[in-house]
């Protein structure tokens, strides 16, 4: 395997390991490694220019960089005074002296947020470059599926063993849910959902590949059934355990978002499946069956949490309302990318008793921090990529399962971002960026135009 690609895959599959990379040292390390890998790709492409893919539309790249540039502008002091965060003038009045100030309340936090966003962009770009090869696209999805399976097994061992540990940390709360390498079970649910989609895609490719033999040997019905069972029992067992771990996270948002993404993927697989043989239908049916079995056996606590949805969601609704009110005060400029925790303190009141450092709605939080124009551009970039995957899923003659998975993964994170902040976890975001990069690369025809 290509050395640079190997390093990229190591970064992606290991990113969730240190607590979802949601610590300053770990997300900084991820960004540094992504930059070094990109430099390696640049040097490699200078030697072999034919490896460079320029299919990605320039406007998408420019729009993404424009969002990063605006976030940087939020940190500078030379913007007009009435653009700056109001807390700067309040602090200057208290101190009795001028302060430079900026749109952002914390330039350091904004720089960190931009660094993380650029890291995701680099992972997407590298995955796009290497994902043009069908062999490397399949290898990437296999790595992700295996990583999700390994983390699911780790989480199930800790949960069923009642250890209450997360690596070397101990907490009684860890005994209640499957968390894998993440502190937040909702984030692990999203990660598991993404890798589960990859596992289903790899499973489909494996079954479809075996069914397209050029010169199939004649065999009896019993032998065909036996070979089919031997072929599918390992991936179906992996899907069963990953689904079980997902349900035992007891994450309502993670479950429903994965269900939405899974239904989209199964719909596309059924519509685009070139071979509607009994074998193909049995493979898809088997994947659905093991998911249903896992749900029936392990969903008691999850169903209880769904019953409490209205009660538990009241505080989050208050946060959403306060965030929407804050956006009305500064809808264009925003309050500084990555500064929600500090800026929101100016708007919270006695209606909230718990600490909220996230909105539990990524869309509103991005609008709050970036302002409507920049946030809209960021959403446009994501929608552009999703539409590209939709086009590839319907128009590609082969390997359409990769853009179909990209569509499903985007649906998954888009739905979960309405209720939670899992995509703001670097380990999850890096994984999604890698999947989307491969999916977009495989959305283009491999034939020269």
């Amino acid at each position: 395997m290509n050395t640079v690609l190997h390093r990229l895959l190591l970064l992606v599959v290991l990113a969730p390991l240190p607590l979802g990379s949601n610590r300053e040292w770990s997300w900084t390390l991820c960004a540094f490694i992504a930059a070094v890998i990109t430099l390696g790709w640049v040097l490699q492409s200078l030697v072999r220019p034919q490896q460079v893919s320029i299919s990605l539309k320039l406007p998408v790249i420019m729009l993404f960089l424009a969002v990063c540039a605006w976030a940087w502008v939020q940190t500078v002091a030379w913007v007009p005074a009435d653009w700056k965060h109001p807390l700067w003038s309040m602090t200057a009045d208290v101190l009795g002296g001028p302060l430079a100030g900026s749109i952002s309340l914390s330039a350091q936090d904004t720089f960190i947020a931009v660094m993380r966003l650029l890291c995701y962009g680099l992972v997407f770009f590298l995955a796009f470059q290497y994902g043009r090869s069908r062999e490397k696209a399949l290898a990437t999805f296999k790595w992700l599926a295996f990583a999700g399976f390994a983390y699911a097994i780790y989480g199930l061992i800790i949960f069923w063993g009642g250890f209450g540990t997360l690596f070397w940390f101990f907490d009684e709360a860890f005994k209640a849910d499957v968390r894998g390498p993440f502190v937040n079970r909702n984030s692990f649910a999203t990660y598991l959902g993404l890798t589960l989609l990859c596992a289903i895609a790899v499973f489909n490719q494996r079954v479809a590949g075996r069914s397209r033999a050029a010169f199939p040997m004649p065999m009896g019905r019993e032998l065909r059934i036996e070979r089919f069972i031997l072929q599918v029992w390992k991936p179906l067992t992996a899907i069963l355990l990953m689904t079980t771990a997902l349900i035992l996270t007891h994450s309502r948002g993670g479950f429903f978002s994965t269900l939405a993404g899974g239904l989209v993927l199964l719909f596309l697989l059924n519509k685009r499946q070139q071979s509607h043989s009994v074998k193909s239908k049995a493979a898809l049916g088997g994947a659905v069956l093991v998911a249903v079995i896992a749900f029936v056996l392990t969903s008691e606590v999850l169903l209880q949490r769904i019953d409490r949805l209205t009660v538990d969601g009241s505080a989050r609704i208050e946060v959403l309302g306060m965030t929407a009110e804050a956006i009305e005060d500064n809808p264009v400029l925003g309050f500084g990318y990555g500064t929600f925790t500090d800026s929101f303190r100016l708007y919270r009141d006695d209606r909230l008793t718990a600490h909220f450092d996230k909105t539990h709605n990524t869309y509103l939080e991005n609008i709050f921090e970036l302002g409507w124009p920049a946030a809209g551009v960021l959403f446009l970039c994501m929608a552009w990529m999703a539409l590209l995957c939709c086009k590839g899923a319907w128009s590609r003659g082969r390997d359409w399962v990769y853009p179909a998975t990209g569509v499903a993964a985007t649906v998954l994170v888009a739905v979960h971002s309405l209720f939670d902040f899992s995509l703001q976890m670097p380990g999850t975001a890096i994984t999604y960026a890698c999947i989307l990069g491969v999916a977009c690369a495989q959305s283009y025809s491999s034939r020269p135009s």
Side-chain angles (χ1 to χ4, degrees):
M1 183 184 293
N2 183 286
T3 303
V4 178
L5 175 60
H6 189 264
R7 292 169 181 168
L8 173 65
L9 293 179
L10 282 176
L11 168 64
V12 174
V13 301
L14 294 179
L17 190 59
L19 307 179
S21 288
N22 192 36
R23 297 295 184 272
E24 186 172 356
W25 69 267
S26 54
W27 67 53
T28 304
L29 181 61
C30 285
F32 174 76
I33 293 175
V36 171
I37 295 174
T38 304
L39 179 60
W41 174 85
V42 170
L43 296 176
Q44 188 180 75
S45 64
L46 292 176
V47 178
R48 288 177 286 182
Q50 68 276 8
Q51 291 189 351
V52 181
S53 174
I54 58 175
S55 300
L56 189 62
K57 301 299 182 183
L58 183 61
V60 181
I61 300 175
M62 298 305 297
L63 289 174
F64 176 79
L65 293 178
V67 175
C68 296
W70 169 248
W72 171 77
V73 170
Q74 289 181 317
T75 67
V76 300
W78 44 257
V79 295
D82 56 351
W83 285 20
K84 298 179 181 180
H85 197 290
L87 194 59
W88 290 111
S89 60
M90 295 167 59
T91 305
D93 292 340
V94 172
L95 297 178
L99 288 175
S102 60
I103 297 174
S104 172
L105 181 62
S106 173
Q108 180 180 359
D109 289 340
T110 300
F111 278 126
I112 290 174
V114 173
M115 177 191 69
R116 289 166 54 168
L117 185 61
L118 286 172
C119 173
Y120 310 150
L122 290 178
V123 171
F124 170 87
F125 179 78
L126 291 170
F128 182 89
Q129 296 298 323
Y130 290 110
R132 294 288 286 150
S133 164
R134 63 187 311 196
E135 292 79 14
K136 293 174 182 177
L138 179 59
T140 300
F141 272 39
K142 284 182 176 179
W143 275 61
L144 290 173
F146 181 79
F149 173 69
Y151 292 138
I153 292 298
Y154 168 76
L156 289 173
I157 291 174
I158 297 300
F159 176 75
W160 282 332
F163 298 114
T165 57
L166 180 60
F167 302 120
W168 52 88
F169 302 103
F170 176 83
D171 193 318
E172 285 293 334
F174 294 160
K175 295 181 179 181
D177 316 287
V178 172
R179 298 170 185 262
F182 290 77
V183 176
N184 187 288
R185 56 187 173 80
N186 298 298
S187 300
F188 185 49
T190 303
Y191 176 81
L192 269 180
L194 291 172
T195 55
L196 185 58
L197 294 178
C198 292
I200 295 174
V202 171
F203 177 48
N204 177 82
Q205 288 294 81
R206 180 176 181 179
V207 173
R210 294 288 182 85
S211 64
R212 290 197 298 265
F215 301 101
M217 295 293 293
M219 62 184 72
R221 179 180 178 184
E222 292 78 8
L223 184 57
R224 289 199 302 271
I225 294 176
E226 179 183 349
R227 289 199 174 184
F228 177 72
I229 293 175
L230 291 175
Q231 178 185 347
V232 304
W233 78 268
K234 289 182 180 179
L236 284 182
T237 301
I239 292 173
L240 173 64
L241 291 172
M242 292 170 72
T243 305
T244 300
L246 170 66
I247 295 170
L248 290 177
T249 63
H250 304 139
S251 170
R252 296 165 297 195
F255 171 76
F256 284 117
S257 58
T258 301
L259 179 63
L263 290 176
V264 169
L265 180 58
L266 292 176
F267 170 78
L268 292 173
L269 291 179
N270 182 65
K271 285 292 184 180
R272 286 300 319 272
Q273 191 64 261
Q274 295 179 356
S275 172
H276 293 279
S277 64
V278 175
K279 182 177 179 180
S280 300
K281 291 181 180 295
L284 288 179
V288 175
L289 179 61
V290 297
V292 172
I293 292 174
F295 180 80
V296 171
L297 295 178
T298 60
S299 61
E300 180 179 358
V301 177
L302 176 62
L303 292 175
Q304 292 174 357
R305 295 198 75 244
I306 292 174
D307 289 338
R308 300 198 306 266
L309 187 61
T310 302
V311 176
D312 294 346
S314 58
R316 295 190 183 186
I317 293 175
E318 293 289 353
V319 173
L320 295 178
M322 293 178 185
T323 305
E325 293 173 3
I327 291 173
E328 293 178 359
D329 289 345
N330 198 3
V332 177
L333 303 176
F335 292 91
Y337 192 39
T339 65
F340 176 83
T341 302
D342 294 323
S343 298
F344 184 68
R345 293 173 183 171
L346 300 176
Y347 291 91
R348 64 172 296 148
D349 53 32
D350 295 339
R351 288 176 290 176
L352 295 180
T353 56
H355 173 67
F356 281 86
D357 58 354
K358 303 289 184 184
T359 315
H360 290 270
N361 183 301
T362 303
Y363 306 102
L364 270 181
E365 188 165 327
N366 284 337
I367 296 170
F368 175 91
E369 294 177 343
L370 290 169
W372 271 104
V377 171
L378 183 60
F379 301 156
L380 178 61
C381 290
M382 302 301 298
W384 196 322
M385 296 296 96
L387 290 175
L388 175 61
C389 290
C390 285
K391 181 180 178 182
W394 285 107
S395 63
R396 285 296 311 268
R398 67 177 188 178
D399 299 326
W400 45 265
V401 68
Y402 301 109
T405 306
V407 175
T410 301
V411 170
L412 191 160
V413 299
V415 172
H416 204 199
S417 293
L418 290 169
F419 312 107
D420 227 312
F421 50 85
S422 294
L423 202 56
Q424 295 170 253
M425 298 293 106
T428 305
I430 288 174
T431 302
Y432 172 64
C434 183
I435 294 173
L436 190 61
V438 172
C440 288
Q442 286 293 323
S443 296
Y444 292 99
S445 174
S446 58
R447 298 172 183 173
S449 56

